[in-house]
């Protein structure tokens, strides 16, 4: 089995890249006005969509005096693949800043990253003798490399595993499973990019999810294996027990994550398909590795799994006893009503900031300090106003009346500049640019887009990347309820199949909705900037891209279900053994407390690795997902689950007879033990 996995890894890494597609993202929203504008531009302007690269320069002695050097830069840039002609330069009022735009001859997603890298080299070469040149635009953002968060996640997880196990071998096995999963799935994502639109951040999202769940799943199986051996089982029986209990939970939990991620298909946004398939692929690979590769490694290691111990570490997972967790569970169960209300109140309080959540797309002002795009944004904002970093495109297929439209828009509040009209080579279409006063991410810019569309009249479309972001925000926000309903329903059905208890499945769904709501609240708070946001590198009030709450819900609803599945599976085992809910809850909590705490700690540090990304939306995703896992492993698992299950009593395991007959029974599933007459309610 080990040799088979090595062969699969080598074959995947060697063969798949030969057929891999290119990463790219299409922000066009079906049926939107910005999509209509982009289609017109592509049809009549030889494939161009109106996208540009801003070339902005600063020369204290005068931007006009530096124009000959800039002309040489622009001429060299136009020889780069994907780059078209340049616009006439504009100069700031004080004459120290100049701005020109390089038009792209095709959509950004169809241009190689190397083109952006070459433009950055040209700008660096031109920046000398008092001249500073910076570049802005989506193509340049794609070319700027940041620290891969997957590496940070692996290092952080390794530290937690060493602390938890205290053994290099025991800590190394979950890492090895995660590395195998990451190596195979990250390579296979190249094939996903060949088939569907896949953004360049999909590997990071899929990688961190794969690392987190892969280590968690391996951790749970490994812990059950060690516990069985501590209780006297031989290696073969210990492995069988680990796979029939923790292994079964891993399959159910992994299936829940996959269903949640595939729920992104409900959104109808093309690039989310690539994210959903990539993350689902990563989870499927690590689930398979956890139930095949890990058992093979454990069979080889046997009792040597605790070799190379580190003194003073590893006490937390030395056994599955948990006297502190038992005492805590009984305390909560004695005050079940109060505990349930208090836990729910805390989660609702954390959710409240979501009322101020503003959808939109962060502009280049949120890029890292020192990046060319951030420098270009600051220069353009200082010289021409921040709106010049995100021009709107006004396109018409009947050019005759476009001059009157341009004149009306010049006098509109919020407009700083309207460019001359440019006609298509076939003479059947034309467009001009509108520079807003406010930045692309400002709420007033979104309002301006709607006002300009009212001014434009029939047959004239207001588009451009900024308008496309506005359209997508409206579109995605309107479909979020459908998405949430679909994921919750599918997950409820999966949990119903796993536990054959409708109230258990319903309770898990409601509690995980509360966890996700708390995560949304923390994201909204971070996006406002302030002291909390600045800790994450979010310095200003920033809108949240509408696909972030959607992706977070898909990821978190699946992952937070993991701990429900692991905990409830152990409680269910105890219930089938004793037939009494009160003791089953306290024993199940005690026997899973340490391992779930370690698993949650790993997931939290892995998701916090997103904070090291250069993309502000990945930072927000990371802190939100880490919050949800932390809340789920503490407030939900330690307070709400024991409290609510105590309040429900025997009803936890109630199933209507007709439903019991319909639900399939898994092989090896124990027969339900009826509740005892003296069971506590």
């Amino acid at each position: 089995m080990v040799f088979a996995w090595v062969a699969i890894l080598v074959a995947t890494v060697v063969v798949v890249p030969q057929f891999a597609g290119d990463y790219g993202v299409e922000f066009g929203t079906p049926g939107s006005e910005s999509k209509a504008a982009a289609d017109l531009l592509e049809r009549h302007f030889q494939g161009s969509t109106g996208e540009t690269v801003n070339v902005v320069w600063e020369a204290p002695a005068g931007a006009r005096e530096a124009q000959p050097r800039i002309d040489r830069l622009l001429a060299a840039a136009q020889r780069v693949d994907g780059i078209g002609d340049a616009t006439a330069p504009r100069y700031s009022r004080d004459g120290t800043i100049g701005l020109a735009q390089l038009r792209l001859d095709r959509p950004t997603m169809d241009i190689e990253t190397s083109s952006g890298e070459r433009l950055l080299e040209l700008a660096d070469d031109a920046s000398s003798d008092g001249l500073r040149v910076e570049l802005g635009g989506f193509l340049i953002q794609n070319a700027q490399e940041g620290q891969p968060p997957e590496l940070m996640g692996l290092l952080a997880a390794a530290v937690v595993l060493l602390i938890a196990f205290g053994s290099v071998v025991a800590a190394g096995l979950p890492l090895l499973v995660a590395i195998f999963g990451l190596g195979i799935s990250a390579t296979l994502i190249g094939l996903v990019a060949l088939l569907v639109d896949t953004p360049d951040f999909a590997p990071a999202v899929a990688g961190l999810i794969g690392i987190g769940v892969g280590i968690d799943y391996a951790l749970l199986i490994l812990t059950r294996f060690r516990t069985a051996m501590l209780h006297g089982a031989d290696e073969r029986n210990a492995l069988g027990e680990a796979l029939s209990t923790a292994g079964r939970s891993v399959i159910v939990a992994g299936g829940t994550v996959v269903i949640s991620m595939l729920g992104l298909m409900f959104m109808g946004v093309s690039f989310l398909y690539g994210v959903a398939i990539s993350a689902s692929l990563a989870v499927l690979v690590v689930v398979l590795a956890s139930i095949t590769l890990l058992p093979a490694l454990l069979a080889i290691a046997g009792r040597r799994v605790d070799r190379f111990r580190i003194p003073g570490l590893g006490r937390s997972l030395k056994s599955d006893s948990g006297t502190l967790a038992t005492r805590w569970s009984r305390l909560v169960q004695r005050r079940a009503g109060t505990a349930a209300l208090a836990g729910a109140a805390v989660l609702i309080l954390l959710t409240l900031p979501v009322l101020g959540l503003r959808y939109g797309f962060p502009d280049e002002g949120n890029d890292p300090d020192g990046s060319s795009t951030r420098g270009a944004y600051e220069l353009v904002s200082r010289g021409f106003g921040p709106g010049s970093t995100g021009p709107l495109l006004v396109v018409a297929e009947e050019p005759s009346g476009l001059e009157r439209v341009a004149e009306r828009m010049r006098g509109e509040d919020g407009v700083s500049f309207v460019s001359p009209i440019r006609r298509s080579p076939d003479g059947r279409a034309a467009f001009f640019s509108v520079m807003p006063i406010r930045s692309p991410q400002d709420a007033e810019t979104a309002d301006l887009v709607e006002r300009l569309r009212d001014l434009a009249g029939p047959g004239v479309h207001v588009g451009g990347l900024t308008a496309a972001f506005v359209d997508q925000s409206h579109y995605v926000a309107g479909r979020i309820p459908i998405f949430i309903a679909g994921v919750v329903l599918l997950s409820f059905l999966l949990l119903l199949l796993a536990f054959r208890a409708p109230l258990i499945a319903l309770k898990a769904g409601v509690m995980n909705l509360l966890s996700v709501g708390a995560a949304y609240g923390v994201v909204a708070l971070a996006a406002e900037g302030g002291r909390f946001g600045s800790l994450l590198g979010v310095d200003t009030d920033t809108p949240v891209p509408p696909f972030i709450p959607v992706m977070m819900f898909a990821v978190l609803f699946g992952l937070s279900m993991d701990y429900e599945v692991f905990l409830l599976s152990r409680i269910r085992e105890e219930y089938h053994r004793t037939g009494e809910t009160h003791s089953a809850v306290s024993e199940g909590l005690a026997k899973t407390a340490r391992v779930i705490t370690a698993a949650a700690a790993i997931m939290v540090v892995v998701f916090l690795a997103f904070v090291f990304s250069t993309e502000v939306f990945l930072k927000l995703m990371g802190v939100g997902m880490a919050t949800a896992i932390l809340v789920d492993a503490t407030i939900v698992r330690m307070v709400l689950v024991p409290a609510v299950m105590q309040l429900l009593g025997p009803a936890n395991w109630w199933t209507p007879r007709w439903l019991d007959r319909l639900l399939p029974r898994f092989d090896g599933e124990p027969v339900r033990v009826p509740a005892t007459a003296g069971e506590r309610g």
Side-chain angles (χ1 to χ4, degrees):
M1 182 60 69
V2 172
F3 283 137
W5 274 94
V6 171
I8 291 171
L9 176 63
V10 172
T12 303
V13 171
V14 172
V15 176
V16 171
Q18 310 299 322
F19 306 96
D22 295 323
Y23 295 112
V25 56
E26 172 57 62
F27 286 110
T29 303
S32 67
E33 190 165 331
S34 58
K35 184 68 165 63
D39 290 343
L40 276 177
L41 286 168
E42 193 167 4
R43 189 159 60 245
H44 294 289
F45 285 84
Q46 299 175 345
S48 172
T49 58
E51 296 176 75
T52 59
V53 169
N54 281 339
V55 180
V56 56
W57 63 97
E58 181 182 32
R64 293 180 185 273
E65 283 69 19
Q67 190 62 52
R69 293 168 62 186
I70 297 299
D71 288 340
R72 290 194 293 273
L73 166 64
L74 295 176
Q78 290 174 62
R79 293 193 291 271
V80 175
D81 181 57
I83 307 301
D85 58 353
T87 63
R90 297 168 56 201
Y91 302 97
S92 62
R93 289 186 178 181
D94 64 4
T96 61
I97 299 175
L99 172 65
Q101 293 178 317
L102 290 166
R103 298 187 179 99
L104 305 185
D105 62 15
R106 54 186 181 272
T108 300
M109 64 180 296
D110 295 335
I111 300 176
E112 295 287 343
T113 305
S114 58
S115 293
E117 294 170 351
R118 175 57 181 154
L119 293 179
L120 287 170
E121 292 174 2
L122 293 173
D124 287 340
D125 293 342
S127 298
S128 60
D129 300 328
L131 176 64
R132 175 190 175 193
V133 181
E134 304 285 4
L135 304 179
F138 205 53
L139 178 65
I140 305 302
Q141 281 184 317
N142 291 342
Q144 294 176 148
E145 294 184 359
Q147 178 71 31
E150 298 96 323
L151 177 60
M152 300 298 296
L154 271 175
L155 292 176
V159 172
V160 176
L161 283 170
L162 282 173
I163 294 172
F165 280 115
S167 160
V168 174
V169 175
L173 291 179
L175 283 174
L176 192 60
V177 169
I179 290 171
F180 265 85
L182 179 64
I184 293 172
S185 60
T187 309
L188 290 176
I189 291 173
L191 293 182
V192 177
L194 183 66
L195 301 174
V196 297
D197 289 345
T198 305
D200 55 1
F201 60 81
V205 173
L208 286 175
I209 292 172
I211 291 169
V213 300
I215 292 175
D216 270 13
Y217 295 165
L219 172 70
L220 290 154
I221 294 174
L222 174 57
T223 303
R224 195 63 184 263
F225 172 76
R226 294 171 80 227
T227 302
M229 287 201 301
L230 284 172
H231 289 170
D234 60 25
E235 296 169 7
R236 182 181 182 86
N237 287 330
L239 198 52
E241 179 182 332
L243 286 177
S244 63
T245 54
R248 179 176 180 272
S249 298
V250 163
I251 294 172
V252 174
T256 308
V257 177
V258 170
I259 286 175
S260 298
M261 290 306 304
L262 291 179
L264 291 172
M265 299 293 191
F266 289 120
M267 298 306 299
V269 178
S270 62
F271 72 85
L272 288 182
Y273 298 162
V275 176
I277 297 172
S278 299
S280 299
L281 186 62
V283 173
L284 286 173
V285 172
V286 296
V287 166
L288 288 173
S290 298
I291 61 175
T292 57
L293 174 61
L294 179 62
L297 293 172
L298 289 175
I300 294 171
R303 297 189 180 276
R304 292 170 295 182
V305 73
D306 288 323
R307 292 283 299 275
F308 304 111
R309 299 196 60 81
I310 301 174
L313 300 181
R315 295 175 183 175
S316 62
L317 294 180
K318 197 170 183 179
S319 72
D320 65 350
S321 63
T323 55
L324 180 61
T326 302
R327 291 197 297 270
W328 172 262
S329 176
R330 289 172 180 168
L331 174 64
V332 170
Q333 287 173 295
R334 283 197 298 270
R335 301 285 187 271
T338 302
L341 289 175
V346 171
L347 293 182
I348 292 171
L349 187 64
L350 287 173
T351 304
L352 287 179
V354 81
L355 298 175
L357 185 67
R358 179 168 65 92
Y359 289 132
F361 283 78
D363 56 32
E364 293 173 351
N366 294 282
D367 287 357
D369 286 331
S371 64
S372 186
T373 49
R374 176 70 175 265
Y377 177 89
E378 292 171 349
L379 286 179
V380 172
S381 298
R382 183 149 45 92
F384 308 96
S388 296
T389 61
L392 305 172
L393 302 179
V394 182
V395 190
E397 202 161 14
E398 296 294 334
S400 56
L402 204 56
E403 187 61 54
R404 291 191 300 273
V405 174
E407 194 59 38
R408 288 198 300 268
M409 290 185 178
R410 284 190 181 95
E412 182 67 18
D413 290 340
V415 173
S416 68
F417 175 76
V418 175
S419 73
I421 294 175
R422 182 186 178 201
R423 292 181 176 272
S424 63
D426 61 10
R428 296 169 55 191
F431 79 93
F432 61 88
S433 301
V434 175
M435 306 295 181
I437 292 176
R438 301 288 184 179
S439 68
Q441 71 178 25
D442 198 291
E444 292 186 23
T445 301
D447 295 337
L448 176 64
V449 170
E450 301 303 328
R451 295 203 311 273
L452 293 182
R453 285 172 174 171
D454 292 338
L455 278 177
V460 181
H461 305 287
V462 178
L465 200 56
T466 300
F469 289 159
V470 171
D471 289 338
Q472 190 175 110
S473 297
H474 292 323
Y475 178 83
V476 174
R479 297 179 69 87
I480 286 178
I482 301 173
F483 165 73
I484 290 177
V487 172
V488 170
L489 177 61
L490 290 173
S491 298
F492 171 81
L493 293 175
L494 182 63
L495 289 174
L496 186 60
L497 290 171
F499 295 107
R500 307 175 64 84
L503 290 180
I504 289 288
L506 180 62
K507 173 191 67 66
V510 171
M511 290 184 182
N512 287 313
L513 282 174
L514 289 173
S515 297
V516 174
Y520 283 178
V522 171
V523 167
L525 189 63
E528 292 175 2
R531 291 184 179 179
F532 180 53
S534 63
L535 293 175
L536 309 173
V538 183
D539 301 321
T540 59
D541 185 12
T542 304
V544 177
F547 63 83
I548 292 300
V550 174
M551 288 175 57
M552 281 181 57
F553 184 85
V555 174
L556 291 175
F557 198 83
L559 294 182
S560 59
M561 281 289 186
D562 284 359
Y563 302 122
E564 288 288 328
V565 170
F566 299 141
L567 174 58
L568 291 174
S569 295
R570 201 60 187 260
I571 292 174
R572 183 169 173 268
E573 287 180 42
E574 295 297 323
Y575 177 73
H576 283 307
R577 185 174 62 84
T578 65
E580 202 269 325
T581 300
H582 180 80
S583 62
V585 171
S586 59
E587 286 298 312
L589 190 66
K591 291 181 177 180
T592 59
R594 292 179 173 181
V595 66
I596 291 183
T597 298
I602 289 169
M603 198 73 80
V604 168
V605 297
V606 166
F607 284 142
L608 284 179
F610 274 117
V611 174
F612 295 96
S613 172
T614 58
E615 301 282 0
V616 68
F617 69 88
L618 287 180
K619 295 176 183 286
L620 295 175
M621 272 189 67
V623 73
M625 293 193 293
T627 299
I629 297 299
L630 182 62
V631 164
D632 197 76
T634 53
I635 297 174
V636 171
R637 176 174 58 91
M638 299 298 293
V639 179
L640 289 178
V641 167
V644 172
M645 292 191 75
Q646 176 67 23
L647 292 171
L648 291 175
N652 282 293
W653 315 106
W654 168 78
T655 306
R657 292 184 181 277
W658 63 267
L659 183 60
D660 191 60
R661 288 193 298 268
L662 287 176
L663 294 174
R665 192 178 297 276
F666 294 102
D667 291 340
E669 183 177 353
V671 179
R672 185 187 303 278
V673 178
T676 61
E679 180 170 359
R680 298 176 63 176

